Amino acid sequence: MGTPAPAPAPGEEDLKPWQLDTSRAPASTKIVVAGGFGVGKTTLVAAVSEIVPLQTEAVMTRASEDTDDLSATPEKSTTTVAMDFGRITLDDDLVLYLFGTPGQQRFWFMWDDIVRGAVGAVVLADTRRLGDCFPALDYFESCGLPYVVAVNHFDGSDRFEPDDVREALTIPAHVPVMIMDARRRISVVETLLALVGHALDALPE
């Protein structure tokens, strides 16, 4: 009889094969999640991250009433003031690090630092206020970063087809437009896979 394989050490049961093989390391890449205020960036990162996500949420006060429009999200009581951070392993050899940007204009000065080194971006859109994602679209178009548009449907919001959203936002034909739910892990994974594929297609041959 052969020698039985050693039992995994405590905490190793959930580790990926590459985490147990010290001779190789997975490819890692950086993804940015952007969009308007309250569109679901923090929710997306939290739904898919395999680690406890880093969140820089601050309680909103009356001082922000004149600058933060809560008409579409009246239940929102906190806001991201720096970034969200999470990690997801898509394959044995591919790890994505997710960086969520703050949505308000007064925090846009941080975008250049957050985006540096990223291979692509997910631009979240809310059909109740599509115009809020224009700054993110303009930013990624101007810097040449590949991106996908993901419509995050909220309860009670109108349902539109991807082609309708593409036309409303004048999204180029080569940019993927998806309908998704930022609360559902599988929906977020599908969006991230679409972005990775789009980013690979955009690489120069």
Side-chain angles (χ1 to χ4, degrees):
M1 296 180 61
T3 303
E12 287 188 353
E13 295 85 351
D14 299 326
L15 295 181
K16 306 294 182 181
W18 58 264
Q19 292 174 303
L20 298 172
D21 184 354
T22 57
S23 66
R24 66 188 180 98
S28 61
T29 191
K30 179 179 181 179
I31 300 295
V32 173
V33 182
F37 169 70
V39 77
K41 300 179 293 295
T42 299
T43 300
L44 183 152
V45 174
V48 78
S49 180
E50 61 197 17
I51 62 173
V52 176
L54 168 66
Q55 298 177 346
T56 56
E57 294 282 288
V59 176
M60 300 177 66
T61 65
R62 296 186 62 182
S64 68
E65 289 180 350
D66 295 334
T67 55
D68 296 329
D69 182 7
L70 293 176
S71 58
T73 54
E75 71 286 352
K76 187 173 178 61
S77 60
T78 62
T79 185
T80 300
V81 296
M83 67 175 184
D84 299 306
F85 173 77
R87 184 190 73 197
I88 176 174
T89 303
L90 287 184
D91 198 357
D92 285 350
D93 295 306
L94 179 60
V95 177
L96 300 184
Y97 293 97
L98 308 177
F99 290 77
T101 65
Q104 298 98 314
Q105 184 175 356
R106 61 185 180 277
F107 297 126
W108 288 355
F109 69 91
M110 303 168 60
W111 280 33
D112 287 342
D113 289 330
I114 294 175
V115 170
R116 187 174 296 113
V119 299
V122 175
V123 177
L124 281 180
D126 179 351
T127 56
R128 299 171 298 179
R129 44 202 174 99
L130 280 177
D132 287 0
C133 67
F134 276 123
L137 295 174
D138 291 342
Y139 182 90
F140 297 126
E141 283 285 354
S142 65
C143 69
L145 188 70
Y147 67 92
V148 300
V149 176
V151 178
N152 184 24
H153 270 313
F154 289 79
D155 295 336
S157 64
D158 293 330
R159 305 285 169 164
F160 295 95
E161 294 299 320
D163 287 344
D164 296 328
V165 176
R166 182 185 302 278
E167 181 178 358
L169 295 175
T170 63
I171 303 297
H174 69 279
V175 174
V177 177
M178 309 179 66
I179 308 298
M180 56 91 71
D181 185 338
R183 299 167 298 184
R184 296 180 59 239
R185 178 182 174 85
I186 186 62
S187 183
V188 176
V189 169
E190 290 172 351
T191 300
L192 295 175
L193 287 172
L195 173 60
V196 171
H198 178 54
L200 289 173
D201 290 341
L203 289 174
E205 297 182 359

